[in-house]
Amino acid sequence: MSLILRSAAGTDVGMVRANNEDAVYAGRYLVAVADGVGGLPSGELASGIAIRALIGLDDAPPHGDPLDALGDAIDRANEEIHDAGRADEAHGGMGTTVTALLLTGDQLGLLHVGDSRCYLLRAGALSQLSRDDTFVQSLVDQGVLTVEEARQHPQRSLITQALFGRELRASCAIVASQPGDRFLLCSDGLSDVVEPEEIERELRSHPEPAECVAALVKLALRAGGPDNITVVVADLTEE
Ligand code: CA
């Protein structure tokens, strides 16, 4: 019996921004969210480069170490961002977060850079698998801020790692997963404005991934939608 991801994605520009700098992919073996930074039109370009570099991994049932495959794709994207910045000054300083899951056989790999997030819902309980690469998260780790203070902090969006076309330290991990696990990938347009308890409730109450995605996007919009909102829900399932 082979495993697949039953996944759905949604993205919305939100209520405030003029353009959507997030990019997303939801397939059978790969799901990914990228949140571009750098302003018009560079943020969109950077997140698009990252997602395009990853999409090929979903072409056929992938094999081998998922973290090698994800790492190679991200290195290529980072180089392309570097080259685009050199070719056109307007793109200097652009970058993107990436949070991606790749399933190869029964191994699920998570690669993460930036402040887009990966959560796991297992047995009805939500846990955050990714750790934000942000200034405020480093202060939380040092015991300077509480998680709640970090959520309200004016500099909460300041990321310390992303694909900026420079040297990069992505967080990689094999996720000890089992059929029935539900994964959520999202940009900060969701996690900044919707409380984890509300996210957990929605993930529990919509069996269909697409309905769950729509409900989560709606919650972020109802909370004011100050940023682009991108959501992937993926259920690990036996085919
Ligand atoms: Ca964002």
Side-chain angles (χ1 to χ4, degrees):
M1 195 75 81
S2 53
L3 294 172
I4 58 160
L5 296 168
R6 269 190 75 228
S7 67
T11 187
D12 194 289
V13 67
M15 307 294 278
V16 174
R17 300 286 180 92
N19 66 315
N20 191 341
E21 298 191 323
D22 290 355
V24 63
Y25 180 79
R28 284 164 68 88
Y29 306 103
L30 172 82
V31 288
V33 167
D35 179 351
V37 293
L40 260 174
S42 304
E44 273 178 79
L45 180 66
S47 61
I49 287 172
I51 295 296
R52 278 197 304 279
L54 288 163
I55 281 177
L57 301 177
D58 199 46
D59 279 349
H63 48 82
D65 184 336
L67 298 180
D68 286 348
L70 287 169
D72 289 349
I74 285 312
D75 285 345
R76 282 199 305 279
N78 200 36
E79 251 170 63
E80 205 178 313
I81 287 168
H82 171 85
D83 293 347
R86 284 184 65 127
D88 184 345
E89 225 172 68
H91 297 320
M94 74 173 175
T96 184
T97 73
V98 178
T99 301
L101 284 171
L102 178 67
L103 181 67
T104 65
D106 57 1
Q107 279 209 306
L108 188 66
L110 168 65
L111 178 143
H112 165 78
V113 193
D115 66 351
S116 303
R117 288 185 175 173
C118 178
Y119 290 92
L120 165 65
L121 185 81
R122 177 180 289 169
L126 189 70
S127 53
Q128 187 178 333
L129 299 184
S130 59
R131 180 186 164 284
D132 293 350
D133 293 313
T134 55
F135 171 64
V136 293
Q137 180 63 48
S138 65
L139 294 180
V140 170
D141 294 345
Q142 292 164 37
V144 176
L145 291 182
T146 65
V147 171
E148 205 34 56
E149 284 167 345
R151 279 181 69 83
Q152 312 295 335
H153 199 282
Q155 282 178 295
R156 63 185 176 276
S157 297
L158 188 61
I159 50 179
T160 51
Q161 284 278 334
L163 273 68
F164 282 119
R166 300 193 298 261
E167 201 185 323
L168 173 71
R169 261 203 336 272
S171 306
C172 294
I174 296 290
V175 181
S177 53
Q178 58 195 51
D181 283 348
R182 168 167 275 192
F183 295 91
L184 166 69
L185 270 53
C186 66
S187 62
D188 61 343
L190 176 74
S191 51
D192 250 17
V193 295
V194 180
E195 297 291 332
E197 297 73 24
E198 289 178 273
I199 291 176
E200 183 182 294
R201 198 183 55 228
E202 295 301 331
L203 286 171
R204 277 205 304 249
S205 41
H206 303 277
E208 274 304 312
E211 284 172 20
C212 192
V213 165
L216 286 166
V217 170
K218 208 173 176 184
L219 272 186
L221 289 170
R222 209 180 294 152
D227 195 0
N228 307 143
I229 305 148
T230 299
V231 178
V232 172
V233 172
D235 292 329
L236 186 66
T237 315
E238 282 171 351
E239 196 175 9

